[in-house]
Every structure is written in structure tokens, then in C-alpha cells.
Amino acid sequence: METFSAIPVFVAVVENGSFSQAAQRLGTTKSAVSKRIRELENKLGVQLLHRTTRQLSLTEAGERYFEYAVKAVIAAGEGIDSVTQLQGNPKGELKINTPMSFGRLHIAPLVADFLAQYPDISLNMVMEDRVVDLVEGGYDLAIRGGNLQDSTLIARRLAPCRSVICATPGYLEQYGTPVIPEDLLSFNCIRFAYFSGGSDWTFHGENGPVKVKICGNYQVNNSEALLQAALAGLGIARLPTFAVGDDIAAGRLVPVLKGYQLPMQTFYAVFPQRRHLPAKVRVFLDFIIERLGGDQPYWDKMISE
């Protein structure tokens, strides 16, 4: 039994990369975690972790054991989820991962209302733009935009992710307004560094797709920073409508090339395949889908009105 009870401690150490961070996650002390790992290794008769002053790494035996340990923790969690659903009261820690800008602009403002509605849920939200491993990170759910590549995950569509080409009225008054996509070659185009198309902006018009290789003197890996540059009149930007809806509605930015369509992506909520979808995940999904507005999210309505 002592071996079984040490499994979640071992998993927490590997996922967090240190005894101290695992202890913080488990609500215990670093010495207690270290003791449990030492006892587990003694019971198994193998060394599971290489310990140095700077980092921990798995031994070959540790890698094998971790594979089964994660499955054991997941199975135990599914059992808890199944029982919790019978109680009809969503509870427990809900750990989610969101893209930085989208999370700050559209998920973080919903947190207070969500927790007021579900006071027995403890929300741990991590905002970052890199794609994380949900199982290794201990996430219940992640919000991702674009094309999904991990077929082992379950996905639920949240909202479309549309883009718009825009600039300030002052910039357009000074430098003119592009009429066709090729006109962009004469403008300073500022761009998002992580854009999958690189410097190629593709437009769809009456005569089919048009690809333009734009150029400019500024690129940045954050859409909010790109928005600030556009608002400062630096140039023409390709921005997601979720980041720019307020500014277009207020007239601070003006859409251009409105006769052409830009490729559209989608925001998804993704979560690991589980026999029982935890009630805490289900109610969070339903809550944000209702608040975001589905196929016509509120930020797009602001632009179209």
C-alpha cells in the first residue's frame, strides 16, 4: 500500500521537475516528498531519478515506471470523476492552459463569474503560447487555435478565429489605402512573428487566392504588442478580430481590403481521452461557450454592428 500511495508523489516530482515544486503542488514539504521517493525506490529496488544540484532526470527504470504511474494516476482520477458526477456537484481543482492574449482578453474576465457559480471548483489557469503536453502537465483542458495535430485528444469547437487587415485612420490618410492585395507591397506591413504563413499573406477574392509577400520594419510574437504598434500608426497589420474588435468598433482602427477573405482558423477546447468527462470540465466548457457566443462571438458582433 505504501508503494501505491507514493505513485502520485513520484508523478508530481517528474511533472514539476523538482522536489520543492512537487511539494508545493501536493501541499506538503520538500523533505516529505524526498522521503517518499526514497522509500519508493527502496521498495522497488531500483533508482528512479538521477539527482543533481540543478535538475532531476529519469533513469531508464524511472522512464518505464513513469509510463505506468501516469496511467495509474489518470485511472484514479477517472474514478473520482465518476463518483463526483453521481453527486451532481462539480468540485476539485480545474487546471487549464490558454494562449496568452486570448486567455487574458477573453477567458480571464470570465473567471470571477464562473467561480461564483461553482464555488467548489478551484481554478488554476496557465497562460502561454507554447503547445503543452496535457497529460504531463496535469492539465484538464487546454484552449488552442488553428489546426489540431494531436489525434489522441478530444476537441470541442469554441469559436471561429477570424483575422482582419487594418490600420489607423491617420496612417491611411497619410499613406493611402490599399485597394487590392498587391498594393500592400508599397506599405509598411507589421506582422505577428508566430504566424504560420510567415511573410506570405493569402487573400481569397472573386478570381481565387492571391498571395502577397509583405515586408515591414517590425514583427513581434504577441498579438497585443502588434495591436499597440498598429494603434501607434506604425503600419498595416493583420490581426485576429478577438484582439482588435473594440478598436475597430470605436474607429481607432479601420479595416482595409474588405472585399477579400482571409483564411479562418478555429479555437478549440481540447482534453485527454477519458471514460468519464469530469463535471468540473463539462461545466467550464458549457460556461465559456455560452459566454463567448459560439459561431458569432461577441468580438465579431462588435465589428459587424
Side-chain angles (χ1 to χ4, degrees), residues 99-122:
M100 183 68 71
S101 295
F102 186 78
R104 192 191 73 78
L105 292 171
H106 300 291
I107 302 300
L110 304 178
V111 168
D113 286 348
F114 174 75
L115 294 179
Q117 189 169 336
Y118 299 100
D120 292 330
I121 292 178
S122 173

Side-chain angles (χ1 to χ4, degrees), residues 12 16 25 121 133 140-141 157 161 165-166 179 197 241 247 260 278 289:
N16 288 274
R25 170 175 159 183
I121 292 178
D133 186 304
D140 296 291
L141 176 147
R157 191 174 188 273
C161 181
I165 307 296
C166 57
V179 178
T241 56
D247 296 294
Y260 295 84
I289 287 174

Side-chain angles (χ1 to χ4, degrees), residues 3-12 14-15 40 44 46 48 58-77 135-136:
T3 302
F4 288 126
S5 63
I7 289 175
V9 179
F10 172 65
V11 171
V14 175
E15 290 180 345
L40 177 61
L44 295 174
V46 295
L48 299 173
L58 288 168
T59 64
E60 182 181 358
E63 290 179 355
R64 289 192 180 188
Y65 190 71
F66 180 68
E67 179 182 351
Y68 291 96
V70 168
K71 292 177 181 178
V73 171
I74 291 175
V135 175
E136 287 191 7

Side-chain angles (χ1 to χ4, degrees), residues 44 48 51 145 157 180 214 223 255 275:
L44 295 174
L48 299 173
R51 301 164 177 82
R157 191 174 188 273
I180 60 175
I214 56 93
S223 58
R275 184 175 295 112

Side-chain angles (χ1 to χ4, degrees), residues 3 23 33 77-78 82 92 120 125 140 203 229 232 244 281 302:
T3 302
V33 169
E78 288 186 348
S82 178
D120 292 330
M125 183 165 70
D140 296 291
F203 301 82
V244 78
V281 176
M302 296 172 60

Side-chain angles (χ1 to χ4, degrees), residues 80-91 117-121 278-280 282-283:
I80 294 172
D81 296 336
S82 178
V83 173
T84 302
Q85 287 189 17
L86 293 177
Q87 298 173 346
N89 185 26
K91 61 178 63 176
Q117 189 169 336
Y118 299 100
D120 292 330
I121 292 178
K280 60 187 178 182
R282 175 174 47 80
V283 296

Side-chain angles (χ1 to χ4, degrees), residues 11 16 18 20 30 39 42 49 55 60 73 108 113 115 126 156 186 191 201 211 236 285 290 303-304:
V11 171
N16 288 274
S18 74
S20 57
K30 178 181 177 181
E39 291 173 347
N42 290 336
L49 297 166
Q55 65 179 7
E60 182 181 358
V73 171
D113 286 348
L115 294 179
V126 178
R156 183 169 174 183
S186 303
R191 69 182 183 88
W201 288 0
K211 183 179 291 186
I236 293 179
L285 277 173
E290 179 183 359
I303 297 175
S304 59

